[in-house]
Amino acid sequence: MTEKSISMPVGVILRRSPGVTRWAKFSWRVIGVLPGAGPADWRELRREAVENGEAVDFHAGTLTLTLHRTDTEAYLVALSAEPPVVFVVLRKPGGADDRLELSAITASAFEAQDYADSGEELVEPVPAPPGLVAWISDFVARHHRDETFVKRQRKRWAEREAVEGGADPRVRSASNVFRAPTARKTEPR
């Protein structure tokens, strides 16, 4: 249990399909991951005819999937999905190129939610192959420790020190700050 984290290269497969609107020339979708893949830079894997054009599958690139022993609860959430998933984070580059930019890959559902909340990235859940699921499950089995919930107990007001006049003990005042205005009477002259 000396390892704090482990890593594996994972290839990302993207499919480019013809767009269905006049505003989008192409539609991009992550269709799979390749555990232990070598380096790639938009290598074409397959091309097939579809009803309004041609769909092309690319090995867009290889990212490093790193598991940390402190994030095992988040990995359990991703493993409990049906089917178990990993999350690929993509960005749309600002140039004329229509290709998406690979940003990150994670097995943590919580980290994926953080990326999705920013609004700058596109987060795609991708079914994990059985070998990758076994690798993540083995890491979680070795490092996960359930933490018991301990509710914080507050002191009751009655147990605190009694203060003359019933004022809040944090307020420094020589008089009672909660007195009614009519309580201050002066003697007649």
Side-chain angles (χ1 to χ4, degrees), residues 112-157:
Q113 181 65 45
D114 290 342
Y115 279 115
D117 286 345
S118 75
E120 295 180 13
E121 290 93 3
L122 174 66
V123 180
E124 293 274 335
V126 184
L132 188 58
V133 171
W135 182 70
I136 296 169
S137 297
D138 180 57
F139 184 81
V140 169
R142 285 183 286 143
H143 294 285
H144 184 68
R145 301 290 177 259
D146 284 326
E147 294 182 23
T148 57
F149 178 74
V150 179
K151 185 173 180 180
R152 181 176 63 104
Q153 298 294 320
R154 298 182 70 183
K155 282 188 167 182
R156 294 179 173 221
W157 180 257

Side-chain angles (χ1 to χ4, degrees), residues 28-59:
W28 291 93
R29 202 174 93 221
V30 180
I31 60 168
V33 291
L34 302 168
D41 185 27
W42 291 95
R43 185 174 42 189
E44 186 176 320
L45 299 176
R46 185 172 69 162
R47 192 177 283 266
E48 67 180 67
V50 292
E51 68 182 60
N52 56 347
E54 187 172 61
V56 183
D57 295 347
F58 294 97
H59 180 183

Side-chain angles (χ1 to χ4, degrees), residues 4-73:
K4 292 182 179 184
S5 64
I6 58 173
S7 298
M8 173 190 289
V10 178
V12 178
I13 303 172
L14 287 173
R15 173 171 280 181
R16 183 187 71 191
S17 304
V20 293
T21 67
R22 63 181 173 176
W23 296 280
K25 186 175 179 182
F26 296 109
S27 168
W28 291 93
R29 202 174 93 221
V30 180
I31 60 168
V33 291
L34 302 168
D41 185 27
W42 291 95
R43 185 174 42 189
E44 186 176 320
L45 299 176
R46 185 172 69 162
R47 192 177 283 266
E48 67 180 67
V50 292
E51 68 182 60
N52 56 347
E54 187 172 61
V56 183
D57 295 347
F58 294 97
H59 180 183
T62 302
L63 300 170
T64 302
L65 175 62
T66 303
L67 303 179
H68 300 276
R69 69 179 178 188
T70 56
D71 294 336
T72 56
E73 184 178 353

Side-chain angles (χ1 to χ4, degrees), residues 70-105:
T70 56
D71 294 336
T72 56
E73 184 178 353
Y75 304 146
L76 285 173
V77 172
L79 290 173
S80 67
E82 193 54 48
V85 294
V86 293
F87 301 91
V88 177
V89 181
L90 306 163
R91 286 185 182 209
K92 179 71 175 155
D97 191 6
D98 67 330
R99 294 179 175 177
L100 294 173
E101 178 184 308
L102 298 176
S103 181
I105 186 167

